[in-house]
Amino acid sequence: MRSIWSITANHFKAEKPKEKKAEVIVIGAGMAGVLTAYFLKQAGISVMILEANGVGSGQTKNTTAKITAQHGAIYHKLIENFGWEKARQYADANRIALDQYKRLIKDLSIECDFEIMPSYLYSLKEEEILEKEAICSRNLGLDTSYTTKTTLPFTVKSAVKMERQAQFHPLRFLYALADNLPVYEHTKVIKIKDKKIWTDQGEFYGDKIIFTSHYPFLNFPGLYFTKIHQERSYLSAWKTDYPLDGMYYGIDKDGLSFRRFQNMLLIGGASHRTGENTSGGNYDRLKQAGKIYFPTSSLQMLWSAQDCITLDEIPYIGKYSRLYSNWYVATGFKKWGMSFSMIAARLLSDQIMGVPNPYASIFSPQRFSLKAEKEKIKEGCYSIKNLWKEFMTVPKNVFESLAPGQGGVVRYQGKKVGAFKDKNGKVYLVSTKCPHLGCQLAWNPEELTWDCPCHGSRFDYKGNLLNNPSKKSISWRGEKELINGGKDR
Ligand SMILES: Cc1cc2nc3c(=O)[nH]c(=O)nc-3n(C[C@H](O)[C@H](O)[C@H](O)COP(=O)(O)OP(=O)(O)OC[C@H]3O[C@@H](n4cnc5c(N)ncnc54)[C@H](O)[C@@H]3O)c2cc1C
Ligand code: FES
């Protein structure tokens, strides 16, 4: 399902460079990669982007595209977990990122529906948390206030308003910026050793290499698979004339996100860990919310996206690992990758040019905290459980029991397979083993995909790779046609 941004942006094709060598090679042309390459080029550094698909074809095309320092009720937690100094750095970095967007859009006259407006957190149940959040964020220098007045179509118990935040059209912005950048589209990086990069389009060389591939797909060095998981959320666009004034984010368990785009209202929510959507119903939740809260509106589009979450919920931006001093990474944006992409672009270009950056330590991928180490153990146990499932469990259901439109892990000729039966009775068989590190894939009935609970790789029902860290598709075990719902022929 295509997002509102994909449908409303003009088609973009990057100009292919002739060189296969550059001082800096950036992997991935999403918001983080394009912004980073832009600043490096501005600084006179030779740079090139390698992109597996097209510019903006990853999560950036499916975002909500709010540019804000208001990332949920985080500031009181950041102060509790990391202290005032680090919390202030987080707030400052995001505040400055928004100013940098403003300046760039103005200086380059980019037409990208950029609008300044307040951002709100709201709760239907809690009061205390948002009261605390308002005080903490204000004390960190952010222009926030506690309120109960919003333009939402329902009464809220509490809200925090942050003044002068922004929203935009992410692809119109991205395409304008990528227009003058050297990008090899449809060039998938497969292997890297020091300065040499192997792709499906040949070999490339970069003195420095930046991974802005969303999930850093190389397992060693860096061991990012031990410290990142992915979460999916769902979005809907509704045609409406409802006068919503601001961008909203619900902090309650089933809280919804709202923003406008022209004559549309975007409603998002229903978040879960990738690979944990075995019963579906997320799009239905958004459809229901739209009908209840905006009864005169009409549903236009539905889509979804996922983002990387780090152990301490602060992105990893900086050196990829201690082993290769010429590799860099930007990941783990926790669904706030518009401002974090700008932070990453400034920080990484400073590091490459040897300029000190005040935010290097808070975002350093090599930072250590006891809390994060505890989370790492939890992540490890979760992965072992899903690895064990693949090796040791035998599915209860057999292949023949699938109803049309249904998929799942089943037994077929004594073996475990992933199967999806389409409306015409054709069954698509795939391996249930994730090619990344071997965890058992879970069927996602809502999106007809095979999703990995361990680190979030995804595949379509035919086994084609949709999202990394896996670099490969899942093995294809063929198509079968069932007669009378019985034996295959
Ligand atoms: C539902 C949802 C709503 C969100 N809303 C907001 C919001 O309102 N505001 C906000 O700030 N953030 C938001 N985010 C987060 C934001 O969308 C992401 O953090 C951001 O888009 C990530 O950008 P990126 O450049 O890191 O990744 P991507 O856009 O995914 O780019 C990575 C690129 O790398 C390429 N790639 C991957 N592997 C390879 C390879 N091997 N070789 C070559 N290329 C490769 C991919 O094709 C892709 O184009 C939201 C996220 C979700 C899930
Ligand atoms: S994504 Fe890592 S094992 Fe599947």
Side-chain angles (χ1 to χ4, degrees):
M1 295 192 220
R2 295 180 70 203
S3 73
I4 194 164
W5 317 122
S6 305
I7 289 167
T8 53
N10 291 331
H11 175 73
F12 177 82
K13 193 173 178 320
E15 206 161 301
K16 203 174 180 173
K18 290 188 185 79
E19 296 292 313
K20 289 207 156 182
K21 260 187 191 175
E23 226 173 312
V24 181
I25 289 198
V26 176
I27 304 170
M31 193 57 82
V34 167
L35 275 169
T36 307
Y38 173 81
F39 287 119
L40 288 170
K41 190 175 172 220
Q42 286 301 104
I45 291 172
S46 91
V47 62
M48 177 189 294
I49 308 181
L50 306 181
E51 165 55 52
N53 301 302
V55 169
S57 62
Q59 303 310 320
T60 297
K61 71 175 184 315
N62 292 336
T63 180
T64 320
K66 301 171 181 169
I67 311 172
T68 175
Q70 195 179 49
H71 299 174
I74 51 160
Y75 288 107
H76 72 279
K77 284 193 208 145
L78 285 173
I79 294 164
E80 271 163 35
N81 294 335
F82 303 98
W84 281 92
E85 176 62 21
K86 286 247 173 347
R88 191 180 299 278
Q89 284 179 359
Y90 185 108
D92 284 353
N94 279 286
R95 192 174 40 73
I96 294 166
L98 172 54
D99 288 342
Q100 285 162 337
Y101 270 107
K102 266 188 228 166
R103 204 171 319 135
L104 201 56
I105 289 166
K106 186 164 176 263
D107 290 353
L108 302 181
S109 309
I110 300 176
E111 284 179 19
C112 58
D113 305 274
F114 182 77
E115 285 175 272
I116 301 284
M117 58 175 59
S119 168
Y120 292 83
L121 300 176
Y122 72 88
S123 171
L124 305 184
K125 299 172 193 157
E126 305 282 349
E127 237 167 345
E128 219 180 289
I129 292 179
L130 289 186
E131 273 170 1
K132 201 161 144 188
E133 183 65 12
I135 296 167
C136 289
S137 50
R138 193 157 189 90
N139 286 340
L140 290 169
L142 297 164
D143 193 355
T144 52
S145 55
Y146 181 81
T147 181
T148 48
K149 283 198 194 106
T150 73
T151 51
L152 288 167
F154 45 81
T155 309
V156 303
K157 187 101 190 231
S158 63
V160 176
K161 181 179 185 186
M162 193 177 282
E163 304 287 350
R164 291 181 302 282
Q165 303 300 291
Q167 62 181 31
F168 70 157
H169 188 307
L171 290 185
R172 286 184 186 153
F173 172 81
L174 195 75
Y175 292 168
L177 213 61
D179 205 22
N180 293 312
L181 290 176
V183 189
Y184 272 92
E185 291 183 295
H186 307 288
T187 303
K188 184 176 174 183
V189 175
I190 293 157
K191 193 172 116 181
I192 311 170
K193 202 164 176 203
D194 195 15
K195 297 181 178 180
K196 189 169 172 184
I197 301 175
W198 285 264
T199 77
D200 55 1
Q201 304 298 318
E203 292 167 11
F204 291 79
Y205 297 85
D207 291 331
K208 300 205 162 104
I209 296 169
I210 301 180
F211 290 76
T212 46
S213 53
H214 195 237
Y215 201 114
F217 54 86
L218 285 193
N219 293 331
F220 306 101
L223 303 176
Y224 284 95
F225 65 91
T226 64
K227 36 190 198 178
I228 297 178
H229 73 275
Q230 302 201 56
E231 284 182 14
R232 288 191 77 67
S233 307
Y234 300 79
L235 282 152
S236 55
W238 302 74
K239 203 177 223 177
T240 177
D241 51 11
Y242 186 87
L244 189 76
D245 171 21
M247 307 173 289
Y248 290 86
Y249 181 88
I251 65 150
D252 301 329
K253 193 167 169 283
D254 293 323
L256 296 168
S257 151
F258 302 91
R259 70 157 277 191
R260 286 197 69 103
F261 168 63
Q262 297 174 350
N263 63 345
M264 300 272 191
L265 178 78
L266 310 193
I267 308 178
S271 196
H272 61 82
R273 184 176 177 129
T274 304
E276 290 188 349
N277 184 30
T278 47
S279 45
N282 295 303
Y283 285 127
D284 286 344
R285 253 163 253 156
L286 297 184
K287 284 184 203 163
Q288 211 178 357
K291 277 185 200 146
I292 293 172
Y293 297 135
F294 306 96
T296 57
S297 61
S298 65
L299 178 64
Q300 305 294 310
M301 275 157 250
L302 290 163
W303 72 94
S304 63
Q306 67 185 32
D307 214 0
C308 297
I309 321 286
T310 68
L311 297 172
D312 59 9
E313 302 191 14
I314 295 179
Y316 298 135
I317 306 169
K319 290 273 165 96
Y320 195 95
S321 87
R322 290 197 174 90
L323 208 63
Y324 286 122
S325 63
N326 59 324
W327 290 11
Y328 300 80
V329 67
T331 185
F333 297 157
K334 206 187 73 175
K335 301 185 192 170
W336 297 108
M338 298 299 105
S339 53
F340 279 129
S341 288
M342 182 61 89
I343 294 170
R346 299 314 302 236
L347 205 166
L348 296 180
S349 45
D350 278 352
Q351 287 189 332
I352 281 173
M353 292 184 289
V355 175
N357 183 296
Y359 309 111
S361 106
I362 178 170
F363 296 116
S364 166
Q366 283 77 46
R367 64 183 177 266
F368 176 86
S369 83
L370 216 53
K371 191 171 176 287
E373 290 308 302
K374 281 186 193 156
E375 285 301 312
K376 197 188 265 183
I377 294 168
K378 271 197 223 159
E379 276 300 315
C381 294
Y382 185 85
S383 294
I384 289 166
K385 190 179 98 186
N386 287 289
L387 264 170
W388 183 85
K389 248 190 187 174
E390 172 57 20
F391 283 110
M392 305 301 285
T393 60
V394 180
K396 281 189 222 115
N397 295 332
V398 289
F399 163 76
E400 288 82 2
S401 64
L402 287 175
Q406 208 183 13
V409 180
V410 293
R411 269 181 289 131
Y412 172 63
Q413 295 180 344
K415 292 206 177 101
K416 174 155 68 180
V417 291
F420 166 63
K421 185 180 194 181
D422 73 13
K423 289 197 176 103
N424 303 319
K426 192 180 269 187
V427 182
Y428 299 84
L429 301 179
V430 295
S431 158
T432 56
K433 186 173 174 177
C434 178
H436 179 229
L437 288 171
C439 291
Q440 178 164 304
L441 298 169
W443 177 245
N444 174 346
E446 197 140 35
E447 305 191 83
L448 308 187
T449 55
W450 291 101
D451 299 354
C452 185
C454 285
H455 318 106
S457 295
R458 296 177 65 245
F459 311 85
D460 69 15
Y461 62 84
K462 290 186 174 177
N464 299 307
L465 178 65
L466 297 173
N467 296 119
N468 58 10
S470 177
K471 286 179 278 169
K472 291 188 202 147
S473 295
I474 38 181
S475 5
W476 171 234
R477 301 206 161 156
E479 287 169 15
K480 302 279 165 209
E481 276 186 47
L482 294 183
I483 11 172
N484 303 326
K487 289 192 176 66
D488 61 302
R489 59 180 181 198

